[in-house]
Amino acid sequence: MCLLWDERGPYTVPTNIRRLSIGLGPWEHMSLRDVDDQYGDMIDFDYCERMSKMSPDEEPQNLDMLQRIVFPEERSRYKISPPPVGQQETELVQIPEVTPEKQSKRAKPACSGKKEIYPELPSERLSTQVNNNKCDNHGNRGDVTNYSRVRDAGNGSEVGSYKPVAEIVKETNQMQRHHSQIKHEGAKTPVRVTEQNPSLKVSEMKNTFDVPKKPRERTPEVQPALKKDMLRRVVRQSKFRHVFGQAVRNDQCYDDIRVSRVTWDSSFCAVNPKFVAIIIDASGGGAFLVLPLQKTGRIDKVYPTVCGHTGPVLDIDWCPHNDLVIASGSEDCTVMVWQIPENGLETALSEPVVVLEGHSKRVGIVSWHPTARNVLLSAGCDNQIIIWNVGTGEAIINLEDMHPDVIFSVSWSRNGSLLCTACKDKKVRVIDPRKKKIVAEKDKAHEGARPMRAIFLADGNIFTTGFSRMSERQLALWKSDNMDEPICVQEMDTSNGVLLPFYDPDTNIVYLCGKGDSSIRYFEITDEAPFVHYLNTFSTKEPQRGMGYMPKRGLDVNKCEIARFYKLHERKCEPIIMTVPRKSDLFQDDLYPDTAGPDPSLEAEEWFAGKNGSPILISLKDGYVSTKNRDLKVVKTNVLETKPSTKAENISTVQKHVSSQPSVKMEDKLEEVLREFKSLRDRVILQDRRIARLEEQVAKVAM
């Protein structure tokens, strides 16, 4: 369908035009005389006869495209042949022009049909339109309304005239040449019109009169910002978005291990760059395995274990400052500290370095201080927390009146100045242990009755996992100084396994491992909403009974390994490697910022005196090289000390000072070493002289 033109450009057709034909339904049984009397002055029967005799494939000559489109639609709908030419009577009817005021005053019919809107005719042309409105309810034929309008009244248009296509194109070309010589005030729409012969097709005519659409103008300053903002909302930029997990081969797993079946929500596994420790089932007491990392494959049933506890072991933790020292808590109400040989166990180890006795019920949590040497925390089912100086075997701090129920988890802050605890009373507490003061607490951090977990993040915020009132697993982020409202809360699923969080302070990634689940979910924590961003999920077929997490200094930086887990099955321990795919073999400093090293920044006495220290960082660019660890030495005044009572006051009275004598100075130690060196040198000289005499005697005998 085309648009017609005049001096003002393209225009559309009004609805009040007359048509050259009329469509009558088959239900209107009218005689030819009635049709001639009512519609003879408005219908061109010659035109109708030509159209009825024309084949559908034939192109009409000198025909207005408006009527070419409208009439076949009516013809296909009604199939009525026009009356004979002989019966046609011509009569000139003067149709008054209908103004908008008169048209608005005209009464509308009671039942009107659907209106049809047709394109507008060119100037100097009068058309007729007949609207037949049917009313099925009353069976009466609607009024026939005649509308006529002359678009340009000053030009004196003729009634009932029409123009062929060739004339329209010719007039349009003349109009274009005329307008090209006159300067217009506003910009005109370009017209793509070419000279056509009278046999112009409708499709070509349509392409000729189509107005090219202008592309929508975009503001160069606003559009890039909107696009960038949209991309930020859809895809978040992060170098950890493509982290993927991969389990190692079967020959690199630890098989035939009897993992503990104790009903306690701990990880049952602890890992450092040298050993992996796993709590196992043992008859006659509690025990755990300590395996070198390279000892993979099937583990013999008679492999030596650490078996000094008289009850099942509930929790174990490696010392961050000595890869040979591990602490264990048990149902026998004791905490034991063990020193493992450099090359692993060759015989069963049943004698600990020190036994820490102070709890009246089973000990379910043990945790080393992150920056101070020989400072160990233990929490038991007696609802108290004890902080020990392992070097002396003393209980220095006892927090016994802060938790009315069982303590689910305890976490140190980055520099070890604060504690974060989750209790069965649904409260999360931030505690200053040296002042024995609760800094902040949140009641009903998670409203569910299942156990919660709470850990400190590197920026001082607190990350918690728990259950909602509808037993849906949740994770939440809190500010440690103001815990009235969470920074964000996310619901995960409806599983009933406790979520164990493992946090990497260097990359701000939290790994969530649910007990009984077969997947590991990991999230990145940032300063942008929603603050806890889901990254990916690693899934396997077998459920996990526990999980061990390797420190950053034990990873393989050449493979872009950012985390390694040790998943406990029922009879197996399976390492899982988390990797960021990179093409380059060079060291990726953005993945491996400086991390906490094995050297402590404080001694135990300095920390108990109130001093704080941040972790001493090391670079992993050249890989971590372990140094020789010092032996753990415990100095006591009397080895035959009696067993301390359950109260902290009794502990302090039974355990006396470490030594009444002053500590040996460095100068005295140096002098002692020098004396030993001189004695060894003298002994070597004497032995050389003796060997020389013996050689002389042998030579004489030989002669």
Side-chain angles (χ1 to χ4, degrees):
M1 176 175 181
C2 66
L3 296 176
L4 302 182
W5 298 73
D6 62 1
E7 295 81 5
R8 292 172 292 178
Y11 63 91
T12 57
V13 179
T15 58
N16 53 350
I17 62 173
R18 293 180 58 189
R19 298 162 54 187
L20 297 179
S21 63
I22 181 172
L24 298 178
W27 57 85
E28 293 183 323
H29 304 287
M30 299 178 63
S31 63
L32 297 178
R33 181 173 297 277
D34 294 336
V35 173
D36 189 25
D37 292 339
Q38 294 189 21
Y39 306 110
D41 55 340
M42 291 180 289
I43 304 175
D44 189 354
F45 288 99
D46 294 333
Y47 167 80
C48 296
E49 185 176 3
R50 290 199 309 271
M51 292 301 298
S52 63
K53 294 179 180 180
M54 186 183 301
S55 63
D57 299 332
E58 184 179 357
E59 187 72 16
Q61 298 290 334
N62 296 331
L63 180 63
D64 188 21
M65 289 192 310
L66 176 65
Q67 304 303 327
R68 170 70 177 89
I69 294 175
V70 174
F71 180 75
E73 295 178 357
E74 298 293 335
R75 180 177 61 178
S76 63
R77 191 162 61 223
Y78 294 115
K79 306 274 184 191
I80 293 180
S81 60
V85 182
Q87 298 181 2
Q88 178 176 305
E89 296 182 4
T90 58
E91 182 179 359
L92 182 61
V93 180
Q94 183 177 0
I95 303 175
E97 183 178 358
V98 180
T99 61
E101 291 79 4
K102 295 181 181 180
Q103 187 175 1
S104 61
K105 295 180 182 179
R106 186 185 306 271
K108 296 182 180 180
C111 183
S112 61
K114 182 179 181 180
K115 295 183 180 180
E116 292 181 340
I117 299 176
Y118 304 100
E120 185 177 344
L121 294 177
S123 60
E124 299 182 0
R125 178 178 174 186
L126 180 66
S127 62
T128 62
Q129 175 181 2
V130 179
N131 296 330
N132 297 327
N133 300 325
K134 307 297 183 301
C135 184
D136 296 335
N137 297 335
H138 303 285
N140 298 326
R141 183 169 63 250
D143 298 336
V144 178
T145 307
N146 301 329
Y147 298 100
S148 67
R149 187 176 72 89
V150 179
R151 195 169 186 273
D152 296 326
N155 296 335
S157 60
E158 298 178 0
V159 178
S161 64
Y162 62 91
K163 293 183 181 180
V165 174
E167 294 183 10
I168 295 175
V169 175
K170 185 176 180 180
E171 289 180 2
T172 305
N173 294 334
Q174 293 177 358
M175 190 185 306
Q176 288 294 327
R177 287 193 296 269
H178 176 69
H179 282 292
S180 62
Q181 301 175 0
I182 302 175
K183 293 183 179 180
H184 296 279
E185 296 179 357
K188 297 295 182 179
T189 306
V191 182
R192 296 179 287 106
V193 182
T194 58
E195 293 291 341
Q196 300 288 343
N197 51 17
S199 62
L200 185 66
K201 292 185 178 181
V202 177
S203 60
E204 298 178 358
M205 193 64 189
K206 178 179 181 300
N207 296 332
T208 302
F209 284 94
D210 278 345
V211 179
K213 296 182 179 180
K214 292 184 178 180
R216 182 176 296 178
E217 297 181 356
R218 297 184 301 178
T219 306
E221 294 82 10
V222 178
Q223 191 69 17
L226 294 176
K227 185 176 181 181
K228 186 176 180 181
D229 184 60
M230 184 179 299
L231 288 176
R232 186 183 297 111
R233 288 196 300 267
V234 175
V235 179
R236 188 182 63 87
Q237 298 295 329
S238 174
K239 54 180 171 289
F240 302 109
R241 281 200 312 120
H242 302 290
V243 174
F244 70 96
Q246 184 178 7
V248 299
R249 301 190 305 269
N250 288 332
D251 58 348
Q252 297 180 358
C253 297
Y254 307 89
D255 292 325
D256 202 10
I257 298 175
R258 306 178 304 277
V259 180
S260 177
R261 299 177 180 271
V262 178
T263 57
W264 182 255
D265 294 322
S266 68
S267 59
F268 291 164
C269 183
V271 191
N272 68 7
K274 290 186 176 181
F275 301 101
V276 53
I278 304 169
I279 302 175
I280 62 173
D281 272 336
S283 58
F288 59 93
L289 276 174
V290 177
L291 303 172
L293 293 181
Q294 63 272 13
K295 187 174 177 56
T296 57
R298 184 178 179 275
I299 307 300
D300 196 351
K301 292 183 179 180
V302 297
Y303 190 85
T305 61
V306 180
C307 54
H309 287 284
T310 59
V313 179
L314 301 181
D315 195 16
I316 52 178
D317 190 26
W318 287 102
C319 178
H321 310 123
N322 193 334
D323 291 337
L324 303 178
V325 176
I326 186 171
S328 60
S330 171
E331 285 190 358
D332 60 5
C333 308
T334 62
V335 177
M336 294 185 181
V337 180
W338 312 82
Q339 182 156 356
I340 309 300
E342 183 74 27
N343 298 323
L345 296 176
E346 296 179 357
T347 59
L349 183 61
S350 58
E351 292 295 330
V353 177
V354 61
V355 179
L356 305 175
E357 297 177 322
H359 290 279
S360 60
K361 292 185 179 180
R362 60 180 181 175
V363 181
I365 300 171
V366 289
S367 178
W368 291 91
H369 194 281
T371 60
R373 190 196 306 273
N374 294 339
V375 177
L376 179 65
L377 177 146
S378 63
C381 293
D382 53 359
N383 308 335
Q384 63 177 346
I385 297 174
I386 300 177
I387 301 178
W388 308 83
N389 185 350
V390 179
T392 62
E394 289 182 306
I396 306 300
I397 298 174
N398 189 355
L399 307 175
E400 59 178 349
D401 297 329
M402 295 184 178
H403 300 86
D405 214 327
V406 178
I407 301 170
F408 288 143
S409 70
V410 180
S411 174
W412 293 96
S413 61
R414 178 73 167 164
N415 61 357
S417 60
L418 298 175
L419 293 176
C420 176
T421 65
C423 185
K424 193 175 181 180
D425 62 353
K426 302 181 183 179
K427 284 187 179 182
V428 175
R429 295 173 175 86
V430 179
I431 301 172
D432 188 341
R434 289 169 294 189
K435 295 181 180 179
K436 298 184 179 181
K437 176 183 176 182
I438 297 178
V439 178
E441 66 178 353
K442 173 61 179 177
D443 188 15
K444 294 184 179 180
H446 297 278
E447 297 184 355
R450 300 281 298 166
M452 293 189 301
R453 289 290 186 275
I455 58 173
F456 260 115
L457 303 182
D459 56 359
N461 291 337
I462 297 174
F463 183 86
T464 62
T465 61
F467 293 80
S468 66
R469 184 181 301 175
M470 304 302 294
S471 297
E472 296 176 339
R473 293 199 290 193
Q474 292 179 330
L475 57 88
L477 190 63
W478 310 80
K479 286 187 176 293
S480 59
D481 53 353
N482 185 9
M483 300 185 66
D484 294 336
E485 293 295 332
I487 299 176
C488 72
V489 177
Q490 296 183 16
E491 293 184 355
M492 298 178 58
D493 51 28
T494 56
S495 179
N496 58 358
V498 178
L499 289 172
L500 304 177
F502 297 94
Y503 175 61
D504 183 4
D506 302 328
T507 58
N508 267 338
I509 296 180
V510 174
Y511 303 88
L512 298 183
C513 310
K515 296 202 70 174
D517 292 356
S518 58
S519 61
I520 301 174
R521 298 179 178 89
Y522 32 103
F523 301 81
E524 184 179 2
I525 299 177
T526 63
D527 296 332
E528 300 178 357
F531 305 104
V532 180
H533 304 272
Y534 170 77
L535 292 177
N536 208 340
T537 300
F538 170 78
S539 299
T540 55
K541 297 180 180 180
E542 297 293 331
Q544 54 215 16
R545 302 185 56 129
M547 192 71 67
Y549 180 66
M550 173 68 77
K552 205 66 172 290
R553 53 192 174 93
L555 303 179
D556 188 356
V557 297
N558 297 323
K559 297 180 180 179
C560 296
E561 181 183 0
I562 64 169
R564 189 190 306 165
F565 292 92
Y566 287 78
K567 177 180 177 180
L568 298 184
H569 299 258
E570 187 174 358
R571 302 280 297 184
K572 183 175 70 172
C573 178
E574 178 185 27
I576 297 172
I577 298 174
M578 299 291 178
T579 308
V580 177
R582 294 288 175 91
K583 293 182 179 179
S584 176
D585 294 334
L586 300 177
F587 177 74
Q588 307 294 325
D589 52 357
D590 60 332
L591 299 180
Y592 300 101
D594 292 347
T595 186
D599 297 328
S601 58
L602 297 172
E603 295 294 332
E605 292 78 8
E606 294 176 339
W607 185 82
F608 285 115
K611 189 176 179 180
N612 294 324
S614 299
I616 298 177
L617 304 181
I618 60 173
S619 176
L620 299 177
K621 185 173 184 179
D622 299 327
Y624 170 70
V625 179
S626 62
T627 58
K628 186 176 180 180
N629 297 285
R630 299 194 315 178
D631 293 338
L632 178 62
K633 293 183 179 180
V634 180
V635 181
K636 289 188 177 182
T637 57
N638 187 4
V639 181
L640 300 177
E641 282 183 330
T642 58
K643 183 176 179 180
S645 60
T646 59
K647 298 296 181 179
E649 293 82 7
N650 296 333
I651 295 174
S652 60
T653 57
V654 172
Q655 295 180 348
K656 305 296 181 182
H657 295 288
V658 177
S659 177
S660 59
Q661 299 177 356
S663 60
V664 181
K665 296 181 180 181
M666 294 299 295
E667 293 80 3
D668 298 339
K669 290 183 178 180
L670 182 59
E671 292 178 359
E672 183 179 356
V673 171
L674 290 175
R675 285 195 299 269
E676 291 180 358
F677 178 74
K678 289 179 181 179
S679 64
L680 290 175
R681 186 182 62 182
D682 296 339
R683 184 174 298 180
V684 170
I685 293 173
L686 293 174
Q687 294 295 333
D688 289 340
R689 292 175 182 176
R690 183 181 177 184
I691 292 172
R693 287 196 301 268
L694 291 174
E695 288 178 351
E696 291 176 358
Q697 293 177 4
V698 170
K700 290 178 181 180
V701 171
M703 292 175 63

